[in-house]
Amino acid sequence: MSLTLHKVAVLSDEDDSHLFTFILDHPQKLLETKSVESTEVHYAGHTWSLVCMRKDERFLGIFLKWRYSDGNSATFLSTKCKYVLTLVHCHDYRGNKNFMTSQKFTTAQPLLGKSKFIPFDELLEQESGYLDDVGKNVVIELGFNYCSTRFEQLVDVSPTNRIRKNASGIYFDTTTFVLANHRWYLRFYTTKVNSNGLPAVYLYLSGKAKGVSMELRFTLCLCNESTEILAYNFGESAKFDGFGKTLQEPLPNASKMTEALASVEITSIMVYKCANVRLFQQPAAFSSRFQRKDHFGSYNGAYGSAGSSLASVETFQDHEGNFWKLDLVRDAKTLTIIIDKGVHHFPNNKTKIVCFSMVLLSLDQQKGSDINMNGYPIVGCFSNFTDDRGYLTTFPLLLSKLEDPGSPYLTDSGDIHIRINFLSSQTTSLVVRSGPRFDYQLNHLLLARQELQENHRSLQEMREMSASQASLSLLDDGLVSDGSFSSGQMMPGKILTPLSKSLDSLDAFSTGDMAPSLEEDYHRFFFSDLLRCFVETNSRVPTADTWITSRKEVLSAAREETLAETSVLANDASILSAGARIGAGDTRKQSETIRNVVKYLQQRLPLRISEIVELGSLGTGTVTVDRFDADIILFSPDVPAERQSLWMPALLHCFMTCMMQGSNNQDPFYPLPRCGDFSTTPFALQFSCDGIDVDVSVAYDWESEGAGSYNAVYEASCKSTVKTDRLWHGVACSRLKKKFLCDQPNEVKAMIKILKHWRDGIAWRKTEYRPNSYLLSLLVVKAYEEARSLDAKRIIQKMASYILAAELSLSWSTFYLPEKYPVEFDPPSPLIRDPTNPAVNVADSLPYWGQLRTEFTIWVRSLGITVSPLGS
């Protein structure tokens, strides 16, 4: 049994997408052997492998493993990547099983993926379509879409450590870390002498580059101050070994500082080599036909015999030590370069798979720009068993044009400069021999698959929208005979059109196609009346029950977050603290993104919005390095206060259409950041925006005139016997939730971050077994209040007593008196009354407390804290 790399494909897109195809042979043996690991692959300067593992004896788990071996920098380095694991169906691509996620890898959590990818019964059944025609092999694809690397270290800058000095002042260096087979480090000045005492931070390449250059895009940060995105070419021919920038603001009390946090986030890295290709043979004595103003000469003469070079071809080395050579195809009409292996040094029975692209470099950008090769990046297979004469790359430039007077591409010695970008370099144990090459067809298929999946998602969204409109059309029974109706809330002089036409108008408004003659306020009033009609005609709608969600759906209504599976238990408090720590400068970009989303929602949604409240980790100041999320609650006096399950799905679908249109077609006045992964739950519209998970919910504004304020919310919530309605009333109290959490001391917020970071490192058996952030926050707040201490261990010990208690009852009197609102809650769940709504039991969000109790006990004991249930 083995897991072998078979193919590599690289798409030349903005996300640097790579697709690795593996063959898992004899998967039946996983029933006897616990796991199998592939050979290493390389992406974004890191080494990875694929692991297939038996889980719970019945399931196949597929995991991505980050392989970082430098012990000195292991605790300071992390990488976050977006990837997708695909189990390929042999007969129908729609039968593929996919797992797409964006996760952070650390040396404490190097193995992440999905533990129950597919049952073995289904995988090994020939009829299921995952085994090949001989029943021995399974195809697994690993796709990377994005990867960033973060190095962060707390450096001692106390007076005893200020021993290094140069012309710019006293400087400090971090530990070196490894990226793309090279070592790097940060150097910073708390006060730089030749920069008016401002701080400065730089990224340095340690030692000499291995014969190549590296183009990096990165952001530097010192304490809470960060630079913009910087770009620099390190390595061969670089002017400086390091590159950075002086920061705009001085560090507070720089002379008295004892520690400084320095970090770099590298968002892209490109390894390349610049090589010369001889076009003309330089005679012993020559006279140039012309001389350009920039002093670059050219030569007039024949290119030599077809297919032969007039000069010896020099080999060059890449970053892995492989030798290559470039030559010119002299009988071609356009510029054609051939690349081949320079030395037959490849290991026996192994094949080197290299993906590369080429660029013809210009010597004068004003006279001509760089020219990219034609077509996709080329994937070449090189081994001791291939006797092909290299791979041909063509450029959109006539060969005869290179000797024209004024050509910006030719040097005085008759050479051209070619930049070879090494996009991917892999080694496989498969022996690839000479034969036809059809790798370009793989790129075609990948692009076609992406387009087909995109069309399928669009079609599904259209079907869902059509289904919503079809359900709403049942409200025609409530219309008058001519197909129109009126409402006392309508604007004077306006007549409501038939419902079907109204829905079309509403959809046109959300996509930006509404005629400009129709006023925006008219649509907002019309929209509110339309929603009210949904509720008023509920008794006459036979399919109203289709919008009612089950208890399971309600409890799982929060975003289904991908569980990080790990073989390493993070039980060190210092590791958790470091992982949970994040500076204010790290959230600046995310906060700006959310502000842009809020502006767009406020101006472009067809609804009168009285206030927008931001919750989630960004809204409450409890962000960890693992995940950025934001809950946006829109308060409106125009939506009904009750029966949200009837009208909310149609409203959220309308919002989703509007947001998708705004993301795809940028609004010049209110630009919306690029968003994707749109979906709806019974409670919210969900999407991702610049790496942030966003939930948008709508709530009736109980603080509006005549609504009755929160006393009316509490009374309505306590009278209701349906948990769904109580949860909707809880959403309506989001203003109080934000105030309750934001008013907590910073030490309590720091403890909440640690608990969230610990939770994200646990392999929860089911999604619904994972405690949500609000539940953990309330447990931390109550533990702090009763412990009457900011000591972390005492707070954790108090939390353990709550979690392990046989009967738990917690409440607050911050916004209401609990005894004033007697509510009978369903046993046997613990009782944690929402401090903002007396009728909501937050503990109901966790239907099973067993795994939480087990995992928390293990963690607490590993910290040396005595555990005892409440009341024992």
Side-chain angles (χ1 to χ4, degrees), residues 17-77:
S17 299
H18 283 50
L19 183 71
F20 301 93
T21 303
F22 295 86
I23 302 296
L24 173 62
D25 61 1
H26 299 91
Q28 301 88 347
K29 293 185 178 180
L30 275 175
L31 297 174
E32 305 169 1
T33 305
K34 184 172 178 61
S35 64
V36 59
E37 184 173 353
S38 72
T39 55
E40 61 185 30
V41 296
H42 305 280
Y43 176 74
H46 295 286
T47 302
W48 311 82
S49 62
L50 203 61
V51 179
C52 292
M53 189 180 301
R54 186 179 76 249
K55 283 288 185 177
D56 295 345
E57 306 300 327
R58 297 187 302 108
F59 293 91
L60 170 68
I62 304 179
F63 302 88
L64 179 61
K65 184 178 182 180
W66 179 47
R67 302 173 66 169
Y68 187 76
S69 56
D70 183 55
N72 293 330
S73 59
T75 57
F76 308 125
L77 196 70

Side-chain angles (χ1 to χ4, degrees), residues 58-61 87 97 115-120 122-123 130:
R58 297 187 302 108
F59 293 91
L60 170 68
L87 182 62
K97 289 190 176 294
S115 59
K116 296 181 180 180
F117 202 96
I118 185 174
F120 273 111
E122 182 181 356
L123 175 67
Y130 297 104

Side-chain angles (χ1 to χ4, degrees), residues 178-198:
V178 179
L179 183 67
N181 291 335
H182 289 78
R183 285 195 170 272
W184 310 79
Y185 66 93
L186 297 180
R187 173 172 292 179
F188 64 90
Y189 303 81
T190 55
T191 55
K192 192 175 180 182
V193 175
N194 50 8
S195 297
N196 297 324
L198 292 174

